[in-house]
Amino acid sequence: MQKTPILMKFGGTSVENAKAILNLISIVKSKIEQGFSPILVASAMGKITDRLLFCANLAKENQLEKAKEIVRDEIRILHFNTVGVLLKGAGNEEEIRRKLDLLLEELKDLLTGVSLYGELTPRFLDTFLSYGERLSTLIISEALNFHKVKANLCDSRKVLVTDSHFAKAVPDFPKTKIKLEEIVKPIYEADSVPVLQGFVGSDENGITTTLGRGGSDFSAAIFGSLLSVAQIEIWTDVSGVLTTDPRICSEAKTVESLSFNEASELAYFGAKVLHPSTIRPAIERKIPVYILNSKKPQAEGTKITKNVSKDSQEPKAIAFKEGLVNLQVVPFEMIQHAEFLALVTGVFAKNKVNVDAVTISESGVGIVFEKTSEYDRVKQELKLLGEIKVSENVGLVGIVGKNFWLKKDSLELILHNLMNFKIHVFSQGTLGIVLSFVVESKDVQEVVRNLHKLLFEKNEFVR
Ligand code: ADP
Ligand code: ASP
Ligand code: MG
């Protein structure tokens, strides 16, 4: 009988070393025993993507030897040691090391190229960063096979078709579906586990692209939804979506269930646990997404479904972003509001810069956004439309939960709690799902801890 396909994505910390990969293997084994047919998507090991980025920048700044040293002494050693533990006694240890070395040699050649040209283009970086996932998945698929789980390594560049917007490529769903059915489906239909690289794809010309940092979650959602799997599991290093980022608030606890809209808002407002685009393809196919802890596979985690059973009017979680810009544009001459708003937002759309918050008043338009490499260009173009005023160090705090602030006294309590902070913008999201504040960047963490205490640690908040 055909087993039920599920998509399992393992993030960087869930494949960071041999021990993590052994956990992954036992999780996958238990899914197979439960009658599922897993399709695997994996990230680069640990912080390898960050290290690759660091090497590329070193090479650009004429420190080629230092960059090569990191590849040789850090990246190579990590992967080789992992092979040493996972494939001990497998007989193909040396063959896998040779394959890894071929990839590592290519990496070093690419670094030489960067140092010669002194330039790092998004197109180059996509190719360069893809090696992280290519190295990790080679080891994972071999380790699965050695530990008696039949697996086949797939090349995501041959599966995920995207446009050529390097560093933030947009998937072509119909073309990717055809590839998945051609390449991936026959593997799991033959009871083997396809192992794919997250984050990585290629454009129509076969040039490697990536979906942007943290993009493996998105790969999982794209593959899972196009293959109509029964569920998508995002395995990470925390037990689900927590009430806020545990790194800044040790009291954060697991949120049992979230609606798709709540989860997308949380991701959009900065919760790193999910890539912002992840949820959309899954919503469309009504596929539930689970966020689970690979270090504690028995823990419940968070279930994300199209709708949660009741409209609880409860706050669910707090997300935040730091280091944003609040830019106001005042038109040089009288112009209709709607027309001016369209001109201003048009500059952001054209430069593919995400907007985090917008305010409009009689005097002009204010936009809050992230300072990316397009920042100077955006500023120059806006200067042609009006006089601009910039506050460079603001941050965004979003409390997610359907209409929780409509309950008696809730809003008053929240605002009272924030009395000592400078609030630049305060708004209620369109679907009644987020209450957000633009505050000084330096205050963000304190605001979050403060709100967390009020909403999730004390009984004072009306529930
Ligand atoms: P992975 O490598 O598995 O993709 P990430 O580092 O991208 O993992 O995301 C998991 C991390 O997200 C957690 O370790 C945690 O620090 C951070 N995080 C931020 N906000 C939240 C939140 N609300 N709930 C859970 N984790 C969060
Ligand atoms: N390895 C990539 C990154 O670190 C993609 C991912 O892990 O989601 O951004
Ligand atoms: Mg991630």
Side-chain angles (χ1 to χ4, degrees):
M1 200 180 71
Q2 190 56 52
K3 293 181 176 157
T4 312
I6 55 169
L7 194 299
M8 304 175 77
K9 176 256 170 177
F10 290 85
T13 40
S14 302
V15 297
E16 68 189 349
N17 52 31
K19 186 162 173 253
I21 298 176
L22 285 171
N23 272 348
L24 171 157
I25 295 172
S26 82
I27 295 169
V28 171
K29 266 189 184 165
S30 84
K31 289 286 163 181
I32 295 174
E33 280 157 15
Q34 289 164 41
F36 293 110
S37 184
I39 299 148
L40 241 67
V41 168
S43 290
M45 291 178 75
K47 296 260 171 267
I48 289 295
T49 312
D50 289 339
R51 297 306 282 159
L52 286 171
L53 200 53
F54 183 67
C55 288
N57 278 302
L58 281 177
K60 179 184 153 214
E61 283 151 20
N62 234 339
Q63 296 190 58
L64 179 62
E65 281 320 307
K66 175 97 185 79
K68 284 188 173 172
E69 207 177 288
I70 294 176
V71 172
R72 197 179 52 235
D73 297 344
E74 205 183 294
I75 301 181
R76 184 172 186 265
I77 301 253
L78 171 70
H79 290 86
F80 270 45
N81 285 347
T82 308
V83 164
V85 178
L86 292 176
L87 298 182
K88 192 162 192 249
N92 62 349
E93 221 177 311
E94 278 321 304
E95 182 199 332
I96 302 308
R97 285 195 168 134
R98 264 197 304 279
K99 285 190 182 171
L100 290 173
D101 258 340
L102 281 178
L103 293 171
L104 292 161
E105 283 308 313
E106 287 173 25
L107 264 179
K108 286 194 255 173
D109 289 346
L110 287 168
L111 285 172
T112 308
V114 177
S115 81
L116 280 175
Y117 292 107
E119 197 190 6
L120 270 185
T121 60
R123 173 174 160 157
F124 168 86
L125 269 181
D126 277 3
T127 297
F128 192 74
L129 296 184
S130 73
Y131 281 76
E133 271 69 10
R134 289 162 63 195
L135 291 163
S136 69
T137 48
L138 172 59
I139 298 178
I140 294 165
S141 69
E142 289 302 327
L144 281 164
N145 277 308
F146 179 51
H147 288 84
K148 307 208 166 39
V149 180
K150 208 165 95 188
N152 285 74
L153 179 62
C154 300
D155 186 343
S156 291
R157 295 170 301 170
K158 298 209 159 63
V159 177
L160 178 59
V161 186
T162 71
D163 68 2
S164 305
H165 195 257
F166 298 104
K168 223 193 249 176
V170 178
D172 181 320
F173 285 87
K175 289 193 175 128
T176 303
K177 187 173 166 62
I178 294 171
K179 298 287 180 195
L180 280 165
E181 280 168 3
E182 244 171 54
I183 300 170
V184 177
K185 205 169 187 179
I187 298 176
Y188 65 79
E189 282 184 347
D191 280 337
S192 182
V193 177
V195 180
L196 292 123
Q197 302 79 41
F199 173 61
V200 177
S202 74
D203 70 6
E204 298 247 38
N205 301 316
I207 312 289
T208 304
T209 54
T210 70
L211 300 173
R213 294 304 308 273
S216 293
D217 298 335
F218 193 20
S219 303
I222 298 164
F223 297 155
S225 57
L226 291 176
L227 288 168
S228 297
V229 297
Q231 65 193 46
I232 295 170
E233 300 180 351
I234 308 281
W235 290 87
T236 182
D237 62 344
V238 280
S239 299
V241 175
L242 306 183
T243 43
T244 195
D245 189 337
R247 284 170 301 188
I248 74 145
C249 181
S250 55
E251 298 296 319
K253 39 189 175 271
T254 303
V255 181
E256 235 173 83
S257 63
L258 282 172
S259 70
F260 277 122
N261 285 335
E262 288 170 335
S264 342
E265 292 292 353
L266 262 186
Y268 182 79
F269 275 81
K272 196 190 164 209
V273 67
L274 270 190
H275 182 283
S277 318
T278 311
I279 306 295
R280 194 177 304 277
I283 308 180
E284 281 156 14
R285 302 249 171 178
K286 298 196 176 66
I287 299 173
V289 177
Y290 292 84
I291 316 289
L292 299 158
N293 189 345
S294 63
K295 298 198 166 80
K296 285 190 201 156
Q298 305 309 333
E300 277 294 318
T302 302
K303 181 178 185 183
I304 306 170
T305 47
K306 188 160 188 342
N307 296 305
V308 273
S309 49
K310 56 183 172 49
D311 188 3
S312 59
Q313 288 204 331
E314 271 180 23
K316 294 285 185 73
I318 309 170
F320 58 91
K321 284 184 186 174
E322 292 162 293
L324 304 176
V325 179
N326 184 11
L327 188 150
Q328 278 131 37
V329 203
V330 179
F332 292 126
E333 52 200 46
M334 286 276 281
I335 175 169
Q336 213 219 342
H337 282 114
E339 205 181 314
F340 189 60
L341 181 65
L343 287 173
V344 171
T345 50
V347 170
F348 287 85
K350 193 183 109 207
N351 288 293
K352 291 204 158 49
V353 173
N354 277 335
V355 168
D356 288 305
V358 181
T359 50
I360 179 157
S361 70
E362 174 56 25
S363 46
V365 171
I367 308 258
V368 177
F369 60 101
E370 207 168 313
K371 204 169 168 183
T372 59
S373 49
E374 286 86 6
Y375 178 50
D376 287 332
R377 195 167 349 124
V378 166
K379 233 170 34 176
Q380 286 315 319
E381 291 182 22
L382 290 173
K383 275 184 185 160
L384 302 174
L385 300 178
E387 203 173 304
I388 67 169
K389 198 176 135 223
V390 186
S391 313
E392 289 220 341
N393 278 309
V394 299
L396 186 66
V397 176
I399 316 170
V400 170
K402 191 132 199 230
N403 287 329
F404 67 90
W405 57 90
L406 298 183
K407 275 191 175 172
K408 191 170 168 295
D409 297 338
S410 303
L411 194 55
E412 202 182 335
L413 267 173
I414 291 170
L415 291 174
H416 182 76
N417 238 48
L418 300 182
M419 223 163 50
N420 295 329
F421 301 99
K422 180 173 174 190
I423 299 178
H424 291 248
V425 182
F426 160 44
S427 85
Q428 171 193 325
T430 359
L431 294 174
I433 289 176
V434 199
L435 191 69
S436 67
F437 302 90
V438 174
V439 295
E440 296 282 296
S441 198
K442 66 173 176 36
D443 293 337
V444 165
Q445 299 199 6
E446 214 186 319
V447 165
V448 172
R449 280 192 284 267
N450 206 300
L451 287 171
H452 194 272
K453 213 173 242 133
L454 171 74
L455 302 178
F456 302 108
E457 296 168 42
K458 295 205 285 202
N459 291 326
E460 172 184 337
F461 195 75
V462 214
R463 286 176 173 246

